[in-house]
């Protein structure tokens, strides 16, 4: 779960907030066996993550990922700053300034989305990525200019690796060496 879902969350946080300087991580596997082809199979993948993040410049963040929730819950990201907050949840962007009500500020779609597409960050992002790749394939190099780079992938992996080291050392803060 840390490497799977965590990598996407880290990428989003780095894009919105900047580089991550250090991480403290706890991972756990609650479901240790699952049915498989009429028998039971051992599970080795983590299904719960609690991460604390320290950003270059002093910002702090916390991340909880769980595949063992008792009910379905949408993926959400909330960032609080000195003058307000923003939230990404279920494909929507909402903003609250100075403790006021949350206001929907989701930009209108500039492409046609499939009618059956669930209102989710992943689904919408995948459709936009497909359109950008198609435009790039026809010669529009600017279509993917805002996309993640190899360096972004490397930085994300460095955070993931630091998290694994932190977990192995019982959640100590591990500084990411860039």
């Amino acid at each position: 779960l840390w490497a799977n879902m965590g990598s996407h969350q880290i990428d989003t946080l780095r894009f919105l907030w900047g580089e991550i300087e250090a991480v403290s991580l706890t991972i756990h596997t609650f479901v240790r066996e699952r049915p498989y082809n009429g028998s039971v199979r051992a599970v080795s993948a983590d299904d719960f993550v609690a991460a604390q993040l320290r950003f270059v410049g002093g910002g702090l963040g916390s991340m909880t990922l769980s595949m063992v929730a008792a009910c379905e819950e949408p993926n959400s990201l909330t960032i609080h700053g000195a003058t307000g907050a923003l939230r990404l949840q279920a494909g929507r962007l909402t903003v609250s300034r100075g403790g006021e009500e949350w206001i929907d500020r989701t930009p209108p779609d500039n492409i046609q989305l499939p009618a059956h597409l669930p209102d989710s960050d992943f689904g919408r992002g995948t459709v936009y990525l497909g359109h950008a790749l198609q435009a790039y394939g026809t010669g529009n190099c600017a279509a993917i200019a805002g996309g993640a780079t190899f360096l972004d992938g490397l930085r994300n992996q460095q955070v993931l690796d630091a998290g694994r080291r932190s977990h192995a050392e019982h959640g100590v803060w591990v500084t990411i060496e860039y």
Side-chain angles (χ1 to χ4, degrees):
L1 186 62
W2 173 239
N4 178 5
M5 296 286 295
S7 63
H8 296 289
Q9 298 299 329
I10 290 164
D11 189 52
T12 301
L13 289 169
R14 286 184 55 256
F15 177 78
L16 293 171
W17 207 253
E19 293 299 344
I20 297 169
E21 175 179 272
V23 62
S24 169
L25 183 74
T26 299
I27 60 175
H28 190 74
T29 303
F30 283 101
V31 179
R32 299 207 176 265
E33 295 180 327
R34 292 193 187 276
Y36 180 76
N37 284 344
S39 64
V40 177
R41 187 178 211 178
V43 173
S44 60
D46 50 287
D47 53 21
F48 176 84
V49 175
Q52 300 298 313
L53 307 168
R54 190 170 60 231
F55 292 84
V56 171
L60 295 173
S62 64
M63 177 191 314
T64 304
L65 306 169
S66 177
M67 296 299 288
V68 292
C71 60
E72 186 67 31
E73 188 173 341
N75 182 31
S76 67
L77 168 68
T78 304
I79 297 175
H80 294 274
T83 61
L86 67 83
R87 177 175 292 147
L88 296 167
Q89 182 175 4
R92 310 302 301 168
L93 171 65
T94 55
V95 176
S96 173
R97 297 189 191 278
E100 296 176 1
E101 295 291 318
W102 291 93
I103 299 170
D104 191 333
R105 295 287 190 219
T106 307
D109 290 311
N110 59 10
I111 61 171
Q112 181 67 38
L113 295 174
H116 66 279
L117 183 71
D119 199 15
S120 73
D121 306 326
F122 183 78
R124 177 176 265 108
T126 302
V127 171
Y128 271 88
L129 174 62
H131 279 263
L133 291 173
Q134 183 179 32
Y136 179 78
T138 60
N140 180 358
C141 294
I144 62 168
T149 65
F150 180 83
L151 183 58
D152 288 319
L154 174 63
R155 296 289 190 249
N156 293 341
Q157 188 62 52
Q158 289 170 315
V159 175
L160 292 170
D161 292 346
R164 288 275 184 203
R165 285 193 306 277
S166 170
H167 174 71
E169 297 180 35
H170 307 288
V172 301
W173 281 97
V174 172
T175 301
I176 295 137
E177 302 295 331
Y178 290 117

